[in-house]
Amino acid sequence: MDSDGDGIGDINGITSRLDYLKDLGVDAALLSPIFRSPNHDFGYDVSDYYTIHHEYGTMEDFDLLLKKANELNIKIILDFVPNHTSNESEWFIKSSNKDEYYSDWYVWENGHLDAQGKRRPPNNWISVFSKSAWQYSPSRDQYYLHQFGVAQPDLNFRNPVVVEEIKNIMKYWLEKGIAGMRINAVNYIFEADKDLYGGRYPDEPITGKPGLGPDDYNFLNHIYTKDQDETYDLSSQFRDVFDAITLRDNLTRVLMTEAYTGIKNAVRYYGEGVYSDSHIPLNLALIEDLNKESDARDIKYAVDRWLTYKPLRKPANWVTGAHDKSRVASRFRPKLVDAFNMLVLLLPGIAITYMGEEIGMVNGFVPWTKTTDPLACNTDDPVNFIEVSRDPFRTPFQWSNGKNAGFSNAEKTWLPIADGFEHTNVEKQRSAVRSHYQVYRGLTALRTRPAFRLGRYESLALNNDVFAFKRWYKDDAYIVVMNFGNSYQVVNLTAFDLIFGQLEVEISSVHSSRSFSDDILANFLDLAAEEALVLRMQV
């Protein structure tokens, strides 16, 4: 929400809408980066970790947000970016000028001359945003590493002074009153130790995937720039910072980690042996492992796989949307929005919702001329940029059918409002008898019951299209059943142990013909295409 009419969402805008989060049943809000930044990558290029970015407000505004959130018992969590800073950071400017203290704060390396006498980068490493991960700095006559944008130089975490400074930043914000942090791109923090390779960073091997050029990130297998073992030790050190503050008042400060990686690497962030790392290593399975073609078997596999790999006594977490990934209604189908919200909110563990998924927002259309995402701009391709652009998933939140969907009274918002906001907005869905918003609110209320907070879990792919899971605690049992197919299906829920007789509808998806308290026969349930239901066993 934009509070000051500049077309950009801000802290006071969030404060003004905290009541909405409370009504929705939300316990905590995770903000995208709010630190001072030139905004080449929307706050993921930080120039000063101790200052609020001016477009978002002031430190006083942030203190007010914390105060109001505290009154409503909503926790505030910050998105933290330790892998890199902005190239406009004072640290980087001093480092690039070989300041004695800051000289070794970033990953600097000598280039080499090729046969034609032309200057070349140290090796073949490629940025996530494509093209070389090395950028030449004339002031040092060296290259700096940037695993993301050119304006995002990587910090050198083999320098203990850097590690201590990052910990100090964490302490500063935790002591300010935030409830935790999400560590962004945690698995990029370390690169291979060049001392183990004769003092030079080794080339990464080529994947051999067809259709990729040497500027494409997936052209290489990133064995030296991602998922290094040292990352887990550092994550454990971060956890110690959080736990030290938790000990003062026994209020847990939550450490979250984001790593797009294989499942074995992902669950290592829970910690191993006596070491604790992340409270919430983000589970991206419902984003990464599923697509439009996925059926009930794929969903069962993705869900059960995470529950199998994670440590037995640590909580799972579920997320279907993110500012980097296509929205559920666009990635799958609009009628499946309620089914995916049922998964996120009723599976065992922590539920994480990206703003707008609770009302079924769709991807916006952002033309080349209005594209701001550096990942898209870096393609230099006004036609195919749309394949990588993240702007469509970041369009402003839709509060009403008024000007700019009620997000701002500015003439122009930072990204265009998505089409269809006249029908897909909070105001309309709040006043409707049936809507995605009403379903979501029903689910957040339901998840406070013992069967969902404490209960056990069992799942079945009843056929290729219908996925169902049972949650139960003592003799209170529920079946969540969803048809991911395009056709009518009949299923028998007595395939679950101790499910028989009649069940009662607790919640139904928006397009379902069923409503609250309707009776269902356990041995004969006819499901419409894309219908999803939460049923309670009658005892």
Side-chain angles (χ1 to χ4, degrees), residues 108-125 132 134-137 140-144 199-203:
W108 293 100
E109 190 57 64
N110 296 321
H112 63 273
L113 298 177
D114 64 15
Q116 283 75 44
K118 194 171 178 186
R119 187 188 297 114
R120 295 292 181 192
N123 64 15
N124 71 344
W125 292 357
S132 176
W134 297 99
Q135 180 70 15
Y136 181 70
S137 167
R140 273 186 75 130
D141 190 27
Q142 279 186 307
Y143 286 82
Y144 64 85
R200 288 185 66 86
Y201 290 111
D203 280 351

Side-chain angles (χ1 to χ4, degrees), residues 46 49 80-86 89-93 95 102-108 144-148 152-159 161-167 169 188-191 201 234 238:
V46 178
Y49 290 97
F80 186 54
V81 194
N83 177 70
H84 49 264
T85 70
S86 163
S89 154
E90 183 185 356
W91 301 351
F92 182 76
I93 292 166
S95 186
Y102 289 98
S103 183
D104 196 28
W105 276 45
Y106 294 83
V107 181
W108 293 100
Y144 64 85
L145 179 68
H146 60 92
Q147 291 223 55
F148 293 87
Q152 293 163 292
D154 277 42
L155 284 165
N156 174 19
F157 276 87
R158 297 193 184 280
N159 180 346
V161 179
V162 171
V163 174
E164 283 311 303
E165 179 56 27
I166 293 298
K167 289 179 182 177
I169 295 163
Y188 289 89
I189 281 178
F190 278 97
E191 299 73 41
Y201 290 111
L234 183 68
F238 289 164

Side-chain angles (χ1 to χ4, degrees), residues 292 327-342 357 359-362 424 434-436 439 481-487 508-513 528-533:
K292 267 189 168 70
R327 288 189 170 280
V328 166
S330 299
R331 193 164 81 245
F332 300 103
R333 300 189 296 281
K335 285 186 179 178
L336 290 176
V337 164
D338 296 328
F340 278 100
N341 283 336
M342 287 177 187
E357 300 294 5
I359 58 171
M361 279 176 62
V362 298
T424 306
R434 290 178 79 97
S435 67
H436 296 311
V439 169
V481 58
M482 43 198 73
N483 181 1
F484 287 94
N486 286 308
S487 60
S508 55
S509 56
V510 168
H511 300 286
S512 170
S513 61
E530 300 162 320
E531 183 176 13
L533 302 169

Side-chain angles (χ1 to χ4, degrees), residues 404-422:
N404 295 324
F407 170 79
S408 171
N409 60 19
E411 287 313 303
K412 192 174 84 167
T413 52
W414 75 282
L415 282 175
I417 307 292
D419 290 342
F421 74 88
E422 298 86 355

Side-chain angles (χ1 to χ4, degrees), residues 350-532:
I350 296 154
I352 301 166
T353 298
Y354 178 52
M355 65 92 183
E357 300 294 5
E358 77 279 17
I359 58 171
M361 279 176 62
V362 298
N363 295 346
F365 173 69
V366 183
W368 175 251
T369 52
K370 293 181 180 174
T371 291
T372 56
D373 180 11
L375 193 57
C377 296
N378 239 19
T379 62
D380 303 321
D381 185 342
V383 176
N384 298 308
F385 76 96
I386 203 71
E387 291 173 18
V388 298
S389 180
R390 299 169 296 178
D391 287 342
F393 334 136
R394 301 174 174 185
T395 56
F397 190 78
Q398 294 158 201
W399 291 105
S400 71
N401 64 2
K403 181 181 179 180
N404 295 324
F407 170 79
S408 171
N409 60 19
E411 287 313 303
K412 192 174 84 167
T413 52
W414 75 282
L415 282 175
I417 307 292
D419 290 342
F421 74 88
E422 298 86 355
H423 311 289
T424 306
N425 64 70
V426 169
E427 194 172 78
K428 180 159 185 166
Q429 293 200 14
R430 250 181 165 167
S431 58
V433 177
R434 290 178 79 97
S435 67
H436 296 311
Y437 168 86
Q438 301 293 9
V439 169
Y440 190 95
R441 252 185 107 211
L443 293 170
T444 59
L446 200 59
R447 72 180 262 115
T448 63
R449 294 185 187 175
F452 295 103
R453 272 193 314 116
L454 309 167
R456 300 189 63 183
Y457 161 86
E458 178 190 351
S459 72
L460 290 170
L462 293 166
N463 59 34
N464 291 0
D465 287 334
V466 180
F467 174 69
F469 62 93
K470 177 184 175 184
R471 299 297 314 274
W472 75 99
Y473 184 75
K474 296 181 178 174
D475 57 358
D476 193 25
Y478 297 80
I479 299 288
V480 183
V481 58
M482 43 198 73
N483 181 1
F484 287 94
N486 286 308
S487 60
Y488 164 94
Q489 298 287 332
V490 174
V491 292
N492 183 350
L493 299 179
T494 65
F496 285 100
D497 198 26
L498 299 178
I499 296 295
F500 54 86
Q502 284 196 323
L503 298 103
E504 192 173 75
V505 174
E506 281 279 345
I507 295 175
S508 55
S509 56
V510 168
H511 300 286
S512 170
S513 61
R514 272 109 176 181
S515 51
F516 178 72
S517 81
D518 284 358
D519 287 334
I520 300 287
L521 285 174
N523 63 356
F524 186 92
L525 170 59
D526 54 321
L527 281 171
E530 300 162 320
E531 183 176 13

Side-chain angles (χ1 to χ4, degrees), residues 14 18 26-35 62 65-66 69 74-80 173-174 177-183 242 252-257 279-280 282 350-352:
I14 297 169
L18 284 174
V26 168
D27 302 304
L30 164 61
L31 312 186
S32 52
I34 59 169
F35 315 107
F62 185 70
L65 170 67
L66 287 176
I74 294 173
K75 310 294 184 197
I76 298 296
I77 300 169
L78 293 187
D79 205 347
F80 186 54
W173 289 99
L174 290 167
I178 65 167
M181 285 181 159
R182 183 193 85 137
I183 311 301
F242 283 61
T252 302
R253 289 357 184 247
V254 175
L255 175 61
M256 303 170 70
T257 46
H279 294 91
I280 308 176
L282 283 176
I350 296 154
I352 301 166

